[in-house]
């Protein structure tokens, strides 16, 4: 103890020499210091000599080194280790430190994810209460062709690898490379051909056999990669099988139910099903009845259809629950449920609605979940609703379609609306413009009309008639531009959109992926232009930056320059990006969505209220 004290004093005196300040040091102490300095010099000399001669004499040098830090013992000019060895030793130590830091971060992330996991499984309350658990998937009458069944798992794995299909789950159904081998009847094959659908896309190659086998499934694939076919064609086949066995009578059904987050998407899916059912009927197959159950349209028409007995229903959650609560129909014989854009539905605070819908089912059902974006947290949660699920992944969940050229431009807030006109020159129509707020949609719409642009608009504040008319006109190419909120960002499949303009950057990177995914669909290419400025949250911009890098797009200089401290942690391994929201530009510990959610929870505001405020009508 006393020794260190002395040492400090001696150091101080050294320092103060430089400053021309000489404090009083007692003579006894000064002498001791001098002796020590001489000893030190001598020690160094002996150490050097020893290094030169290669001999060792521990006594002297050790006595001098005693007072140094433990870590430093072997390093520095005094030590007898070569500089090269010292360097590699230090490097090894630094790496070890980094490795443990990395593990620590990954562990912490797991903990955060666990702590935010939903406490309650995604099951109907009655199922939870009775502890009902189904052990095996539903049995169907479909089997793959014998020669495909007889092929080895290795051969199947080769096919999957070729098409970049990742499959998880027990007893993986085989991938099948043609619609004919999937055993669809001729009118369906003709119908597909008529739509220009000849060869199945990767999600269809693996997804359709899984669904036809009766498996529960999570299907994740790029926007515009043909997910709709994966769940619509099998449900048509199952309904046909049922109808052939025992025709549906009044008030019976639905047998299959498809739930979508937005009305326009439900309508679009319903049209596709009707189209294929029409092909079948014209070819002599039994007629299948379908119903559309969405808000904003008359209940009367829908009820008339339902009362005749319905095979397949496409619905949005709100209207569906209202009709079920009013006992307008039941899900007693429903055995097939598909949630399209599933993560959007569960994530937006609809999980209670989903549980409510589940509660109307009697007996086991086949459950399917589809989306282009599905963060780990939602996948884990969703799995609690499924029985021995198969997860089919084509591309990273949340990755942007590679057929979209993504451009990001810095535009000042006040210049944005005028700049749209210039932007419209980039491509030919049709063009889709997205804005977060309804007022902005109205303002842009009005401005474009004033400038003589053939534009229509939709958002949750407009009545359904106007919404439907706008969509129809845009679909038929009678109008060149559609201005919309995020109601139109998910699932809508307009023919050949050339350009998507984001008037603002969505708060949520996944909405960005869905928005730009309205173009570049099924092999075609498109352009997306996004306006950003100082007002945009930094975390979203970082997510955007890394999404652009992932899709090998040009990163504009102002985005490239954004390099916050925590960016260095991005590639520490584990799940890419944030496990909570799927953003690539941050890890879960920095997730703004999670933080916002936790703040709201702390403030005692229910999740639904918080989300309902911002969401359009679903
Ligand atoms: P997703 O739901 O994955 O975003 P959709 O199911 O809406 O994509 O399909 C996008 C478009 O691609 C639709 O117009 C559809 O008719 C077309 N399509 C689907 N499958 C194929 C295929 N195998 N070959 C060519 N076009 C296809
Ligand atoms: Mg879709």
């Amino acid at each position: 103890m006393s020794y260190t004290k002395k040492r400090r004093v001696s150091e101080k005196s050294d320092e103060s020499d430089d400053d021309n300040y000489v404090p009083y040091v007692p003579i006894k102490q000064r002498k001791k210091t001098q002796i020590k300095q001489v000893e030190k010099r001598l020690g160094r000399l002996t150490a050097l000599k020893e290094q030169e001669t290669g001999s060792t004499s521990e006594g002297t040098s050790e006595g001098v080194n005693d007072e140094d830090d433990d870590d430093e013992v072997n390093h520095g000019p005094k030590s007898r280790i070569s500089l090269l060895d010292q360097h590699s030793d230090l490097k090894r130590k630094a790496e070890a430190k980094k490795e443990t830091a990395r593990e620590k971060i990954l562990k912490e992330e797991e903990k955060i994810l666990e702590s935010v996991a939903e406490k309650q499984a995604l099951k109907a309350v009655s199922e939870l209460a009775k502890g009902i658990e189904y052990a095996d998937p539903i049995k169907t009458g479909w089997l793959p062709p014998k020669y495909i069944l007889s092929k080895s798992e290795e051969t199947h794995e080769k096919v999957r690898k070729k098409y970049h299909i990742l499959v998880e789950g027990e007893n993986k159904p085989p991938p099948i490379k043609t619609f004919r081998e999937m055993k669809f009847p001729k009118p369906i094959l003709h119908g597909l051909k008529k739509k220009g659908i000849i060869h199945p896309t990767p999600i269809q190659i693996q997804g359709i056999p899984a669904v036809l086998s009766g498996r529960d499934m999570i299907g994740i694939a790029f926007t515009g990669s043909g997910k709709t076919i994966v769940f619509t064609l099998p449900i048509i086949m199952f309904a046909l099988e049922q109808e052939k066995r025992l025709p549906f009578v009044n008030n019976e059904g639905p047998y299959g139910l498809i739930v979508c987050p937005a009305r326009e998407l439900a309508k679009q899916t319903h049209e596709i099903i009707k189209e294929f059912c029409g092909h079948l009927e014209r070819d002599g197959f039994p007629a299948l009845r379908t119903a559309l159950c969405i808000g904003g349209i008359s209940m009367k028409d829908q009820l008339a259809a339902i009362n005749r007995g319905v095979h397949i229903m496409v619905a949005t959650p709100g209207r569906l629950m209202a009709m079920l609560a009013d006992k307008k129909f039941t899900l007693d014989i429903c055995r097939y449920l598909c949630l399209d854009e599933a993560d959007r539905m569960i994530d937006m605070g609809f999980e209670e609605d989903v549980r409510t819908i589940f509660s109307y089912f009697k007996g086991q059902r086949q459950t399917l979940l589809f989306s282009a974006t599905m963060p780990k947290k939602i996948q884990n949660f969703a799995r609690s609703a499924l029985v021995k699920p198969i997860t089919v992944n084509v591309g990273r969940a949340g990755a942007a379609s590679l057929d979209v050229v993504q451009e990001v431009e810095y535009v000042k807030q006040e210049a944005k609306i005028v700049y749209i006109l210039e932007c419209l020159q980039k491509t030919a129509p049709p063009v889709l413009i997205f804005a977060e707020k309804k007022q902005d949609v109205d303002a842009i719409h009005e401005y474009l009309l004033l400038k003589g642009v053939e534009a229509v608009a939709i958002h949750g504040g407009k009545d359904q008639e106007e919404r439907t008319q706008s969509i129809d006109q845009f679909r038929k190419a009678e109008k060149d531009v559609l201005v919309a909120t995020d109601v139109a960002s998910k699932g809508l499949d307009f023919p050949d959109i050339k350009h998507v303009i984001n008037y603002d950057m969505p708060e949520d990177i996944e909405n960005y992926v869905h928005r730009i995914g309205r173009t570049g669909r099924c092999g075609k290419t498109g352009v997306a232009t996004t306006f950003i400025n100082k007002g945009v949250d930094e975390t979203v911009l970082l997510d955007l930056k890394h999404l652009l890098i992932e899709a090998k797009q040009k990163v504009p200089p102002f985005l490239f320059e954004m390099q916050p401290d925590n960016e260095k942690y991005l590639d520490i391994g584990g799940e890419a990006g944030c496990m909570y929201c799927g953003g690539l530009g941050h890890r879960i510990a920095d997730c703004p969505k999670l933080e916002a959610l936790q703040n709201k929870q702390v403030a005692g505001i229910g999740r639904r209220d918080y989300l309902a405020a911002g969401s359009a009508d679903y």
Side-chain angles (χ1 to χ4, degrees), residues 63-82:
V64 178
N65 276 342
D66 244 350
E67 57 188 292
D68 286 336
D69 263 4
D70 277 355
D71 258 8
E72 307 288 309
V73 170
N74 296 322
H75 302 125
K78 297 164 278 175
S79 72
R80 282 142 291 143
I81 307 165
S82 79

Side-chain angles (χ1 to χ4, degrees), residues 195-197 199-201 204 222-228 493 521-522:
K195 285 169 90 75
I197 303 179
H199 305 290
T201 58
Q204 293 164 351
F222 295 112
T223 50
S225 61
K227 294 185 286 292
T228 318
D493 182 50
R521 296 176 74 74
C522 232

Side-chain angles (χ1 to χ4, degrees), residues 433-449:
I433 303 175
F434 284 110
E436 198 101 325
K437 295 193 195 102
K438 294 173 197 171
Q439 305 93 287
D440 286 336
V441 167
D442 285 336
I444 298 165
H445 185 204
E446 217 164 281
Y447 177 77
L448 291 180
L449 289 180

Side-chain angles (χ1 to χ4, degrees), residues 101-113:
R102 182 182 159 269
E103 275 166 14
K104 217 169 120 191
I105 292 174
L106 288 180
K107 242 189 212 149
E108 265 166 30
E109 289 193 341
E110 281 296 332
K111 254 193 215 154
I112 298 175
L113 191 68

Side-chain angles (χ1 to χ4, degrees), residues 443-459:
I444 298 165
H445 185 204
E446 217 164 281
Y447 177 77
L448 291 180
L449 289 180
L450 274 175
K451 294 289 173 186
V453 178
E454 291 286 337
V456 280
I458 87 158
H459 59 63

Side-chain angles (χ1 to χ4, degrees), residues 179 192 195-204 221-231 265 268 272 340-341 370-372 490-495 514 517-518 521-524:
F179 289 113
L192 286 170
K195 285 169 90 75
I197 303 179
I198 318 280
H199 305 290
T201 58
I203 185 73
Q204 293 164 351
F222 295 112
T223 50
S225 61
K227 294 185 286 292
T228 318
I229 297 280
V230 182
F231 55 86
L265 175 58
Q268 174 184 294
I272 292 171
D340 196 11
E341 311 296 345
F370 283 89
S371 188
K490 284 157 291 246
L492 291 189
D493 182 50
F494 298 108
H514 284 276
R518 295 316 98 209
R521 296 176 74 74
C522 232
K524 297 195 182 98

Side-chain angles (χ1 to χ4, degrees), residues 75-90:
H75 302 125
K78 297 164 278 175
S79 72
R80 282 142 291 143
I81 307 165
S82 79
L83 276 177
L84 208 65
D85 285 347
Q86 283 183 37
H87 170 76
S88 56
D89 183 40
L90 282 173

